[in-house]
Amino acid sequence: MQNIKVFDDCVHELSRLPGVGRKTAVRLALHILKIKQDQAYKLSEAIKKLKDNIKFCKECGAISENEVCPVCSDENRKKDVICIVEEAKDVFFIENTGRYFGLYHVLGGKISPLDGIGPGDLSFDKLTKRVHNLNVKEVIIATNPDADGETTASYIGKILQNVPDLKITKLASGIPIGSHLEYADEITVLRALENRVGLI
Ligand SMILES: [Zn+2]
């Protein structure tokens, strides 16, 4: 294909999205060219609004319209229980059960030596501080049940094991190995939450 700068620029930006290779980026750019003007503008407007209006909660790291998310600012939530998840989107899967009333902590990923992600890249320091400052009585580890998720869970167990009177639990293995919270239905997540087991 001849070089068309505007087209190439769009392909370049799309290919920077996670999971989008150059081939897919070309297909998406061509698709955007084919759709109606207003539909394409809606997409770009939605991205702009997302960037302008949504941020990560400064307490827990969840997605929020305000500095502090609705969960952290809710007086009725239990402040001494923290559910630890990998990504901000995982908060929704636990919230959807409607049966969890504690706080969250978003790590921002998981320890993954193959991807070059070590403990220093994730919010463990902040987690330790929150556990101390909020006088937390239980942390529920809800990392995904794959190899990296398990490594991350053990690491959390290690850094928090000496905190006095802290119960460290982990979601029960109701979620099939290797699958993620987002692929489990609400009942499965709820069951995993209710049947959580002690880590150590
Ligand atoms: Zn929050």
Side-chain angles (χ1 to χ4, degrees):
M1 189 189 286
Q2 80 189 87
N3 253 5
I4 301 172
K5 192 177 178 309
V6 175
F7 185 80
D8 285 346
D9 285 349
C10 184
V11 168
H12 175 69
E13 291 308 322
L14 289 168
S15 67
R16 292 166 65 176
L17 296 171
V20 179
R22 201 186 138 74
K23 251 189 188 169
T24 306
V26 168
R27 211 172 59 222
L28 288 172
L30 285 172
H31 176 76
I32 293 166
L33 268 181
K34 281 184 212 159
I35 59 178
K36 290 204 175 93
Q37 199 101 348
D38 67 328
Q39 199 187 335
Y41 286 177
K42 261 187 202 158
L43 173 65
S44 68
E45 190 55 28
I47 294 173
K48 189 177 178 313
K49 274 195 188 148
L50 180 77
K51 281 308 285 180
D52 290 348
N53 299 299
I54 307 292
K55 44 201 125 214
F56 293 105
C57 170
K58 67 173 185 163
E59 301 291 333
C60 71
I63 290 170
S64 173
E65 280 180 289
N66 302 307
E67 290 277 290
V68 178
C69 77
V71 171
C72 288
S73 42
D74 185 343
E75 299 269 296
N76 297 318
R77 302 289 294 221
K78 291 173 80 172
K79 307 280 184 213
D80 57 358
V81 182
I82 292 186
C83 177
I84 306 167
V85 294
E86 291 173 15
E87 302 287 355
K89 63 181 166 48
D90 296 332
V91 168
F92 298 120
F93 307 121
I94 307 280
E95 275 301 278
N96 282 346
T97 65
R99 299 278 283 278
Y100 175 68
F101 307 107
L103 301 178
Y104 292 95
H105 186 86
V106 180
L107 292 172
K110 54 189 163 185
I111 298 172
S112 178
L114 282 179
D115 295 322
I117 301 168
D121 300 306
L122 307 170
S123 62
F124 292 117
D125 287 350
K126 201 171 162 197
L127 170 66
T128 317
K129 271 186 206 135
R130 292 184 76 207
V131 166
H132 282 104
N133 294 346
L134 294 165
N135 202 12
V136 170
K137 294 281 168 270
E138 181 179 2
V139 291
I140 303 165
I141 303 171
T143 53
N144 283 303
D146 52 26
D148 290 340
E150 294 297 343
T151 305
T152 309
S154 318
Y155 185 80
I156 296 167
K158 217 165 22 174
I159 58 171
L160 296 179
Q161 66 182 346
N162 294 325
V163 179
D165 303 321
L166 175 69
K167 202 160 119 193
I168 304 174
T169 58
K170 197 164 158 285
L171 287 193
S173 52
I175 297 171
I177 297 294
S179 76
H180 291 214
L181 273 179
E182 62 188 294
Y183 301 121
D185 59 71
E186 282 154 37
I187 303 291
T188 308
V189 177
L190 180 61
R191 213 176 294 139
L193 185 65
E194 286 183 339
N195 299 324
R196 60 191 186 270
V197 290
L199 187 73
I200 33 176

